Amino acid sequence: MESLTASARPSRYRYGLWLGLVLLGLTLSVGQWVFAQSSGDRSAVVLTIDGAIGPATMDYVIRGIDDAEARGAALVVLQLDTPGGLMESTRSLIKAVLGSDVPVVTWVTPAGARAASAGTYILYASHIAAMSPSTNLGSATPVQMGGVPGSDQAPDDSGNEPASGEEESADEASNSADSGTAMERKVMEDAVSYIRGLAERHGRNADWAEKAVREAVNLGATEALELGVVDVVASDLNELLSEIHGRDVVMASGTRTLDTENLAIVRQQPDWRTSLLSVITDPNVAYFLMIIGFYGIIFELANPGSLYPGVIGAICLLLALFAFQVLSVNYAGLALILLGLAFIVGEAFMPSFGMLGVGGIVAFVLGSVILMDGSHQEISLPAVGGTAAVAGGFILWTVTRFIGLRRRSPAVGAEHMTEERCRALEDFSREDDYYQGHVRLSGERWNAISNDPIVEGQWLRVQSLEGLTVKVRPENADTGRKEAL
């Protein structure tokens, strides 16, 4: 009995040791979690938006808000300086702000910065709208949301007279008002309703917001504060946090009072992924990636096994397709570009003396012009013109090459043998009406006949080809024998 008890003691000690280690691990884990939560509640995550609002910016802000929620941060501050951007990206960003569990403060900074166009919508959507001195916001009229980029005329609701200075009759004014497309009117009214809803949600000046959309008006920081467009004007981050302390904000879950004293500042700068997306989703970069990818695939198919054109072309084409997936793209324009490129390449393989090439350039230019239909995201016309000029030069070179080749003597086949130079390998012997012998032609030994006597070593010209026999004549009939001697 004593032996059994003695043998059981080590097992009890072992179990007790394992249980103690498990409890210690759980205690450390819970303590670390509690510490992380307590430290996270007292932090403010600062995100920086500097440039146009696009898919990359949207992804960066949404991921930043998600990280702030995961760490339990008390506040998210968006430092904003933007000329505008894509409406689809802006709406997605605003959805993330409105649905955030962490209050979001949008602060237009530094001095000289602006929250134009899409930036005004983001400012109105934020729980706290703030500006630095010497900054401005406004010009929120949606432009180039459809049709041909460059036709950025919005419906004129200001009542101004025509730019030409000529007076319009009532009928002409009515026709002018009706001339705007239904899409333009729908886009305008949708934008007005959208920004008014954001303003009313946070108790800001909805009438001025509507004017910013319809008339593209602007405000400085001081005027914006006086008109109730923004909540705070602050010169630095500490002043901003001090000004908003104790304010009530409207969250998705209800009203919340901000506690911004003694917050630890956590700056989350755009990472390499955001930088890469910013480059790829630039319309001009995506445009050139598509062209390089298309030509790379074509050259690989024309020269199987080259590898480099195929690999580079496939990568560029996939990157371009990704960019077009997240950009606001007119797919009719994309189809025209691909059709134009196919015609240009087809000119090299099926020479039509310029017909396919000219049609390809026309389709390519038209498709390039209408490709991007998002706000402020059209492809630059110099890029389109330069690419079309290069394609036109390629077509011109191809056509001139084909014309020159048609004028040259054949390089292969029986026709190529005519007027070729050869040399007699022996004295020709008389056979019936011809002299017969052998010549060296293009490095080969051929049977030959001639109407004239031929001696060994004499240079000859081919007149015609008859089966495996060439008919020749002396290169210089008068001095051929003397040169041979």
Side-chain angles (χ1 to χ4, degrees):
M1 189 72 178
E2 291 179 358
S3 61
L4 290 175
T5 303
S7 62
R9 285 176 182 173
S11 298
R12 293 199 192 104
Y13 292 150
R14 192 179 300 112
Y15 293 147
L17 178 62
W18 280 109
L19 181 61
L21 291 175
V22 170
L23 291 176
L24 178 61
L26 289 175
T27 302
L28 292 175
S29 299
V30 172
Q32 184 178 7
W33 179 81
V34 171
F35 176 77
Q37 290 296 108
S38 62
S39 61
D41 287 340
R42 304 308 307 157
S43 66
V45 177
V46 179
L47 307 177
T48 303
I49 301 177
D50 186 5
I53 306 297
T57 306
M58 174 196 70
D59 176 77
Y60 163 65
V61 173
I62 291 177
R63 287 191 295 116
I65 292 175
D66 291 341
D67 291 343
E69 291 178 349
R71 72 165 66 227
L75 197 69
V76 173
V77 178
L78 300 182
Q79 292 187 348
L80 182 65
D81 181 11
T82 179
L86 282 172
M87 182 57 75
E88 290 301 320
S89 299
T90 302
R91 284 181 178 267
S92 298
L93 191 155
I94 288 175
K95 288 178 183 177
V97 170
L98 295 177
S100 172
D101 292 332
V102 180
V104 177
V105 177
T106 297
W107 180 34
V108 185
T109 190
R114 56 179 171 168
S117 192
T120 302
Y121 291 86
I122 296 173
L123 198 65
Y124 264 90
S126 302
H127 304 105
I128 295 290
M131 299 177 71
S132 290
S134 303
T135 58
N136 67 284
L137 81 160
S139 297
T141 304
V143 295
Q144 297 174 357
M145 295 298 291
V148 180
S151 57
D152 54 358
Q153 295 179 350
D156 187 5
D157 296 321
S158 60
N160 295 332
E161 292 185 358
S164 62
E166 297 179 0
E167 297 183 359
E168 291 184 319
S169 65
D171 292 339
E172 290 173 340
S174 176
N175 293 335
S176 177
D178 293 338
S179 62
T181 64
M183 180 59 69
E184 288 175 343
R185 293 195 298 273
K186 286 197 290 186
V187 168
M188 177 65 70
E189 296 303 323
D190 176 71
V192 168
S193 176
Y194 187 50
I195 200 167
R196 286 193 70 94
L198 296 175
E200 292 167 0
R201 177 185 178 92
H202 298 294
R204 300 193 182 109
N205 193 328
D207 293 334
W208 184 89
E210 181 173 348
K211 289 180 65 177
V213 175
R214 293 190 182 277
E215 303 175 20
V217 296
N218 284 264
L219 275 181
T222 304
E223 295 85 353
L225 183 62
E226 293 174 353
L227 293 177
V229 174
V230 298
D231 305 307
V232 176
V233 173
S235 301
D236 55 49
L237 187 57
N238 291 330
E239 182 182 354
L240 173 66
L241 296 179
S242 176
E243 288 286 341
I244 66 176
H245 176 69
R247 288 178 177 262
D248 293 332
V249 294
V250 178
M251 306 291 296
S253 56
T255 303
R256 183 184 305 181
T257 302
L258 297 180
D259 180 9
T260 58
E261 287 187 344
N262 302 320
L263 292 181
I265 305 302
V266 179
R267 295 188 178 274
Q268 188 170 324
Q269 298 296 334
D271 54 11
W272 66 269
R273 183 175 185 272
T274 302
S275 301
L276 179 62
L277 286 176
S278 298
V279 173
I280 293 175
T281 54
D282 182 271
N284 293 291
V285 174
Y287 178 71
F288 282 113
L289 284 174
M290 179 191 65
I291 294 173
I292 294 172
F294 184 86
Y295 278 118
I297 297 296
I298 291 296
F299 290 154
E300 179 65 29
L301 294 176
N303 302 278
S306 300
L307 295 182
Y308 289 104
V311 172
I312 295 173
I315 293 174
C316 290
L317 194 58
L318 289 175
L319 289 175
L321 292 176
F322 168 77
F324 289 146
Q325 180 185 4
V326 296
L327 288 172
S328 180
V329 173
N330 187 316
Y331 289 99
L334 181 61
L336 279 173
I337 290 177
L338 295 178
L339 182 64
L341 291 174
F343 283 169
I344 292 171
V345 173
E347 180 67 39
F349 292 95
M350 287 193 317
S352 61
F353 296 98
M355 187 58 200
L356 282 176
V358 172
I361 290 179
V362 171
F364 176 81
V365 171
L366 291 177
S368 300
V369 170
I370 68 175
L371 176 62
M372 297 294 174
D373 62 358
S375 176
H376 301 294
Q377 291 291 322
E378 73 278 7
I379 299 172
S380 64
L381 292 181
V384 175
T387 307
V390 171
F394 170 73
I395 292 172
L396 181 61
W397 176 82
T398 303
V399 172
T400 54
R401 288 282 296 172
F402 279 129
I403 293 175
L405 289 175
R406 287 179 66 89
R407 292 175 179 174
R408 290 176 57 183
S409 58
V412 295
E415 295 83 359
H416 165 62
M417 307 295 291
T418 306
E419 297 301 324
E420 278 288 299
R421 197 165 179 252
C422 59
R423 193 169 189 177
L425 297 178
E426 59 193 11
D427 293 340
F428 281 26
S429 61
R430 181 79 179 189
E431 297 288 342
D432 297 330
D433 296 333
Y434 296 100
Y435 293 92
Q436 296 183 358
H438 296 88
V439 298
R440 184 167 298 279
L441 175 61
S442 299
E444 299 175 336
R445 180 185 176 94
W446 284 76
N447 296 325
I449 58 174
S450 176
N451 292 328
D452 302 311
I454 305 298
V455 297
E456 182 181 354
Q458 186 175 358
W459 286 102
L460 311 170
R461 287 287 181 181
V462 177
Q463 289 182 289
S464 62
L465 177 66
E466 300 175 2
L468 297 178
T469 301
V470 292
K471 186 176 182 180
V472 298
R473 61 175 175 80
E475 189 174 27
N476 190 330
D478 296 334
T479 61
R481 183 168 293 275
K482 293 180 181 179
E483 291 178 355
L485 295 174

